[in-house]
Amino acid sequence: MSELLEKDAKYVWHPFTQMKTEGSPIPMIKGEGTLLFDETGKSYIDCNSSWWVNTHGHGHPHIKNALLEQFDKLDHTLLAGVTHPKAAELSERIVKLLGGDFQKVFFSDNGSTSTEVALKMSFQYWYNLEQPKHKVLAIEGAYHGDTFGAMSVGERDYFNKPFEPFFFDVDFLEFPTEEKEAEQLKKAENLFKTDEFACMILEPLVQGSSGMRMYSISFLDKLVALAKKYNVLVIFDEVMTGWGRTGKMFAKDFLENQPDIICLSKGLTAGALAMGLTVTSQDIFDVFYADDRAKALLHGHSYTGNPLSCAVACANLDLFENPEVAETIISLEKAHISFKNKLEKHPKVKEIRTQGTIMALEIETGEGNTYFSKLRNKAYQYFIDNGMLLRPLGNVVFLNPPYCITEEELNYCYTVITRFLDEEI
Ligand SMILES: *Cc1c(COP(=O)(O)O)cnc(C)c1O
């Protein structure tokens, strides 16, 4: 065992990991473009963008320069009673990018805090209006993060069983497969009619952690319209779907009816630093704007609006302005679709689906799709052996690589996935 692995085994407690049964971690020491390198020099294609955060590849020079330049000016300052150029620049650029009624940007530290803030914003909105509402609508299978509010509105399963007694009251729609759409819209309307719902929170178009499950634009548009009709605030958790993943910059860009609050993180900082944003309209902001301090949103984190993160996020936006990135997103989408057409009839494929730059392939196991599926560990190891860092979600193997992935690397991924289906199961 290398020195690094020994030290790790002695001191590090890894996330989402049963430390007793899972093998040694990969000792990664370098990243460059789409590739990660371990200490033996072996390379891995970063198939899931390092937990869906990396947008333009590892070690991008523009991101690096932005980080170093900012460090020379100002590494950190609190954001209460203070501002700095990159917080203001980023907020302006985000508001312009989102368009519509979006006007105010609230900073926090990650995806979970961005949804937590959105929930607090919604509850306090009604509280400040002196019409307190305590219910939330969410969708089964959702993942909004690992803090208590975020867990409350997420799927209630073995991931958060020990904490269930502490969750607040949430109603869930069933996952809206095509045949369930009408029934779930009806259910939502009946719930909204009670006038008890503060907000609805969902991952638009693609539920990430539950296995890249996709649902229709028209369903979502109708659901948002219903929420608006009954005055329920709509929160889009675009922590995963943002930044071009669904084929447009944001999943909301596919819709006519727009959310009131949007949560951003993951790809926001190109995969280099942690930051979350909760963005909303002037109308919602105005409900907190008062002479009474108790009406303010009294929430914050030590690193709120960290200048280094803000500078990196601005540099990430610069890169998105390069027309080549939009072209790569389109070609990635096309490549996924043709892979889908090729594999759709494969006997080992239960379903293959794509949305923008995401391709998800559900393997036929005959045992339902559980996270603990034996197949999951076998697939994970097979891809590792073949130089691909790809963490399947149960029996769902998926690709959402950094946008700098080359045609050759992408075709290699498709080939290895096909070979796994043909030879290993
Ligand atoms: C990852 C994720 C989160 C949580 O983000 P963290 O940065 O891991 O806290 C929330 N919502 C969605 C949709 C996500 O994919």
Side-chain angles (χ1 to χ4, degrees), residues 16 51-53 109-115 142-147 150 201-204 206-209 212 236-241 263 265-266 274-276:
F16 297 119
W51 261 349
W52 327 347
V53 300
D109 292 351
N110 54 58
S112 305
T113 55
S114 75
T115 58
Y143 181 72
H144 298 294
D146 284 340
T147 48
I201 182 167
L202 49 82
E203 298 161 88
V206 187
Q207 270 192 347
S209 296
M212 295 290 161
F236 273 14
D237 174 356
E238 293 230 29
V239 168
M240 189 282 288
T241 52
C263 304
S265 187
K266 292 205 162 113
M275 183 160 72

